[in-house]
Amino acid sequence: MRTVLRQLWRLPAPADARPATRWDVAAVAALAVLAVLEAVAWQPDLAWRWVSLGMFLVWLPTLLVRRTRPLLMAVVFAVLAPVPMVTGYVDGTTPEELVTAVVGLLIPYSLTRWAAGRDLVVGLGLFLLVAVTSLVTQPLVAADRIGGVAVIVAAMATGAAARARSLLHGRQLEDVRRDERERLARDLHDTVAHHLTAIAISAQAGLAVADTQPGATKDALRRIDAEATRTLAETRRVVRMLRTEEEPPDAPLDDMAGLAAAAGPGPVVEVSLDERLELSPTVAAALHRIAQEAVANARRHASDVTEVRVEVAARGDDLELTVTDDGAPVARRASGFGIVGMTERAALLGGTLEAGPTEPRGWRVRAVLPREDVG
């Protein structure tokens, strides 16, 4: 038990917390208006309504920091909540809460969803202390007390489930990025092995004729220099990573052209390549993998798609790959991990990747990779 509490205390805050947006501000403003209308018009006979309204309006702005500073919500709540209780106790009446105050259930949800371990323990302790005191001191039937506890537990469980789902999604993203780095490292290994073989052969040839043909030795040294330069450029393009057993394509651009022939049932796939392109194996393999993934995504996710077009062309010092389709718009088309992997591969080579809908319909993936050394 002590170990579990220690781990909970050291639990880091989720990395996906974001500041309040204009929609959050609008929601807080709407809740304030609803609370005022409830106190003025809908429940004018509510006991100590002005005290309850005042406390609610003071606490309400803390909703704007429920993701970044959830503990503040609980602290302000714990400070303000006893005020109506003390007021009612002195007057001999029972204060009643506004119905709008049900939004206070965001406190346990936000704590379990967004708070770091220490803030989570402290915040939940404060909230539960106030909530349990309220449930015990108010004249409620047993069913209402049980229902109140159940609602609080449900809010906490919902926040914990959302946190776990976010954590799992983050780990899946990291797995996709790691796998993409491993594939790229495998491609680099084959490229470097090819160049090193050429260097070794040239060196052996130069040594064999060094005494009798000095000119041939110079030619061998030039070849060694050229191969070493290309190898260094390829090595600088990628990071060192673990290898996988997946084999890279032997001729990436030829295989990319084969995407059209391998279309089979489904939408027509047209591939347009600039035959004058001379690419390094690493860049060519990256173009092939991005195009392959983009075409697979179009077939898998697009609705009513009839054509997928793949284009590779030179744009100055860059290469541009564009994959477009004519499918109907799909709301969550980019929610999978395919685009994450494509973006990671492009970024590792010093390039960029964009994906999104086109007008009036369709989807486009556009990758730009440098043709020259990026390191």
Side-chain angles (χ1 to χ4, degrees), residues 86-160:
V86 173
T87 303
Y89 176 79
V90 172
D91 190 65
T93 60
T94 301
E96 300 179 68
E97 295 290 339
L98 299 171
V99 175
T100 315
V102 71
V103 73
L105 288 172
L106 282 175
I107 297 175
Y109 170 85
S110 299
L111 288 168
T112 53
R113 173 63 179 91
W114 304 108
R118 181 177 59 183
D119 293 350
L120 173 61
V121 173
V122 174
L124 278 181
L126 292 173
F127 176 81
L128 293 176
L129 176 64
V130 175
V132 171
T133 302
S134 176
L135 290 174
V136 171
T137 57
Q138 290 188 23
L140 301 174
V141 298
D144 290 339
R145 290 192 174 93
I146 295 174
V149 172
V151 170
I152 293 172
V153 172
M156 295 168 55
T158 303

Side-chain angles (χ1 to χ4, degrees), residues 81-334:
V83 174
M85 299 181 189
V86 173
T87 303
Y89 176 79
V90 172
D91 190 65
T93 60
T94 301
E96 300 179 68
E97 295 290 339
L98 299 171
V99 175
T100 315
V102 71
V103 73
L105 288 172
L106 282 175
I107 297 175
Y109 170 85
S110 299
L111 288 168
T112 53
R113 173 63 179 91
W114 304 108
R118 181 177 59 183
D119 293 350
L120 173 61
V121 173
V122 174
L124 278 181
L126 292 173
F127 176 81
L128 293 176
L129 176 64
V130 175
V132 171
T133 302
S134 176
L135 290 174
V136 171
T137 57
Q138 290 188 23
L140 301 174
V141 298
D144 290 339
R145 290 192 174 93
I146 295 174
V149 172
V151 170
I152 293 172
V153 172
M156 295 168 55
T158 303
R163 186 188 192 119
R165 181 179 179 182
S166 174
L167 180 61
L168 177 60
H169 186 266
R171 288 179 177 175
Q172 289 174 331
L173 289 177
E174 288 302 319
D175 289 343
V176 170
R177 295 188 180 101
R178 186 191 65 247
D179 292 344
E180 201 60 41
R181 289 186 176 97
E182 290 176 358
R183 296 188 185 100
L184 194 57
R186 175 66 176 181
D187 295 342
L188 174 64
H189 169 270
D190 294 334
T191 299
V192 172
H194 168 77
H195 289 310
L196 289 178
T197 301
I199 290 173
I201 293 174
S202 298
Q204 292 170 0
L207 289 173
V209 298
D211 296 331
T212 59
Q213 301 180 36
T217 302
K218 292 182 178 179
D219 291 339
L221 290 174
R222 292 191 187 96
R223 288 193 298 272
I224 291 174
D225 177 68
E227 291 293 339
T229 300
R230 282 194 291 269
T231 303
L232 181 61
E234 291 297 323
T235 304
R236 286 176 175 174
R237 289 180 186 271
V238 294
V239 296
R240 296 181 61 185
M241 283 290 182
L242 296 175
R243 294 180 53 187
T244 63
E245 297 303 322
E246 179 182 349
E247 295 292 335
D250 295 329
L253 286 185
D254 292 343
D255 287 351
M256 188 184 299
L259 289 174
V268 175
V269 180
E270 296 184 3
V271 180
S272 175
L273 300 174
D274 188 340
E275 297 180 355
R276 298 169 297 176
L277 291 177
E278 295 183 1
L279 308 179
S280 69
T282 303
V283 173
L287 288 173
H288 173 259
R289 292 192 190 281
I290 293 173
Q292 189 177 46
E293 181 67 27
V295 171
N297 284 346
R299 292 175 178 170
R300 187 181 305 117
H301 300 297
S303 175
D304 301 327
V305 61
T306 61
E307 181 184 39
V308 180
R309 184 167 183 81
V310 181
E311 298 182 33
V312 179
R315 298 286 187 266
D317 294 334
D318 297 326
L319 292 167
E320 183 180 79
L321 165 67
T322 306
V323 182
T324 56
D325 65 64
D326 60 353
V330 178
R332 297 182 61 84
R333 183 101 164 258

